[in-house]
Amino acid sequence: MNIDELDLDYRLLRLFLTIYDEGSVTAAANRLGVGQPTVSHGLDRLRQIVGDPLFVRSGRGITPTAHADEMAGRVRILLQDLRNLARVDAFDPNDPNQSARFVIGTNDYEVAVIMPELFRIIRGYAADIRLRILPIHGDVNVIDRLRSGQLDLAIGLHMTENVGDIAQQTLFREHMACFYDADCHDVPPDTLDQYCAVPHARVIIGNNEHSAVDEMLDACGRKRRTVLQASTFASIASLIRGTDVIASLPSRLERDVMAGFAKCTFPLDFPEYSFAQSWHVRNAASAPHKWLRGEIFRVTRKLV
């Protein structure tokens, strides 16, 4: 019979340690809840694998060999390591001895709307929790960075592509609104004619010129005059304040970035769109990751 060390498994090692601790095959069988022949058979297999008798008769009992004494401590550590591998550790944010590091991919809309409340909550816990926030551009970019581990989590527009190893959780829905400085407009630009007659600012994230608003205008034979394009919502706010330029932006920005601006209804039937948090499935059962995702979900419930 060809037997080597790869035939060792958790059950055999536990059986060895039980015999070692009990000093008796019968007592080991009772402790393990099996018959004595099962323990004897397992001991015979162990002896063949390690090439040592392991236990020898001594009076009415048995005593471990020198090799068994040497094995016992190492087997005890190995079994504990195997138990730890099979256990998902809990994460307690109130434990000052625990720590967690997260890299979150998102853009300045989500930073403005979600992150302040989330960060205040995190700073209220005793654990050493640290965030690194990086910008993201496009579904493919996000998927690749989640797969590679460059990002632990991404928060952004719900990804249109259904990817098996990337999980998503919808957080809230958003709609478009028009923001403008009321001191520079006699009437709100809430009709299509008024909307197209005034100068516009727009936000384009990434290296493309795609704008869903302009596509909708083209579809109905209308155009707008864009006098300012920027890559962040915050920059739009600071640049158009005190001017007649308007901006079509997500409505929830009125609470922070666009605070102080007047807001009116967007004059086109722009469909609502949803935001989601996304993560790679390898982090699905991670206790710190589950905790963070739960906190983000609870923060965004207030936005619904």
Side-chain angles (χ1 to χ4, degrees):
M1 181 183 297
N2 294 323
I3 299 177
D4 62 28
E5 65 277 4
L6 295 179
D7 289 305
L8 285 171
D9 60 23
Y10 180 87
R11 292 182 181 85
L12 282 179
L13 293 175
R14 185 180 65 160
L15 180 143
F16 161 77
L17 204 56
T18 306
I19 298 172
Y20 185 89
D21 290 342
E22 296 291 338
S24 162
V25 170
T26 302
N30 291 335
R31 181 173 160 186
L32 293 170
V34 298
Q36 184 172 328
T38 300
V39 175
S40 296
H41 175 71
L43 180 56
D44 286 341
R45 280 184 53 78
L46 271 168
R47 284 167 168 162
Q48 293 178 62
I49 293 169
V50 302
D52 186 89
L54 297 176
F55 303 97
V56 295
R57 292 193 175 277
S58 177
R60 295 184 178 181
I62 58 174
T63 188
T65 64
H67 187 64
D69 282 332
E70 183 183 345
M71 279 179 59
R74 293 156 64 190
V75 169
R76 206 176 301 278
I77 293 171
L78 179 58
L79 290 182
Q80 186 57 53
D81 287 344
L82 288 172
R83 293 187 194 101
N84 291 340
L85 281 175
R87 182 184 301 120
V88 177
D89 292 330
F91 177 72
D92 181 2
N94 287 308
D95 183 352
N97 296 314
Q98 294 207 30
S99 64
R101 306 288 184 271
F102 302 105
V103 181
I104 301 176
T106 193
N107 293 310
D108 72 326
Y109 168 83
E110 298 84 357
V111 169
V113 173
I114 300 172
M115 288 299 167
E117 177 67 13
L118 177 66
F119 194 62
R120 280 192 290 271
I121 290 172
I122 287 174
R123 293 303 302 155
Y125 287 115
D128 181 15
I129 304 165
R130 305 185 190 185
L131 302 182
R132 184 183 180 196
I133 300 174
L134 300 178
I136 53 175
H137 308 301
D139 288 4
V140 175
N141 174 279
V142 172
I143 291 168
D144 289 345
R145 293 167 74 185
L146 288 170
R147 282 175 173 164
S148 68
Q150 294 177 37
L151 297 177
D152 296 309
L153 188 73
I155 306 174
L157 291 173
H158 201 289
M159 288 191 290
T160 55
E161 185 179 358
N162 185 16
V163 183
D165 59 339
I166 303 297
Q168 286 193 91
Q169 180 184 36
T170 300
L171 298 175
F172 61 92
R173 298 183 67 78
E174 176 63 289
H175 64 275
M176 196 71 78
C178 291
F179 291 92
Y180 61 97
D181 191 324
D183 292 336
C184 302
H185 288 268
D186 295 328
V187 294
D190 54 1
T191 69
L192 189 55
D193 286 341
Q194 291 166 337
Y195 180 82
C196 293
V198 297
H200 290 256
R202 69 177 186 175
V203 175
I204 299 291
I205 298 173
N207 297 319
N208 62 74
E209 293 297 319
H210 173 77
S211 168
V213 171
D214 289 311
E215 288 181 355
M216 290 189 72
L217 287 168
D218 287 342
C220 63
R222 305 297 292 266
K223 290 188 179 298
R224 63 176 174 171
R225 182 167 58 95
T226 299
V227 298
L228 173 67
Q229 177 173 309
S231 60
T232 66
F233 297 106
S235 58
I236 290 286
S238 62
L239 289 168
I240 71 170
R241 194 179 303 276
T243 77
D244 61 344
V245 179
I246 73 168
S248 304
L249 304 172
S251 66
R252 287 187 178 86
L253 289 176
E254 68 176 333
R255 305 180 185 185
D256 32 69
V257 171
M258 302 305 292
F261 284 87
K263 185 181 82 166
C264 67
T265 302
F266 186 70
L268 292 168
D269 188 18
F270 197 96
E272 284 193 337
Y273 46 98
S274 60
F275 286 83
Q277 56 178 335
S278 309
W279 62 93
H280 194 273
V281 292
R282 66 172 172 274
N283 292 322
S286 165
H289 282 259
K290 288 172 69 175
W291 169 81
L292 178 64
R293 297 196 301 267
E295 293 294 336
I296 291 170
F297 186 78
R298 279 187 285 276
V299 167
T300 57
R301 288 302 83 194
K302 301 174 185 178
L303 302 176
V304 175

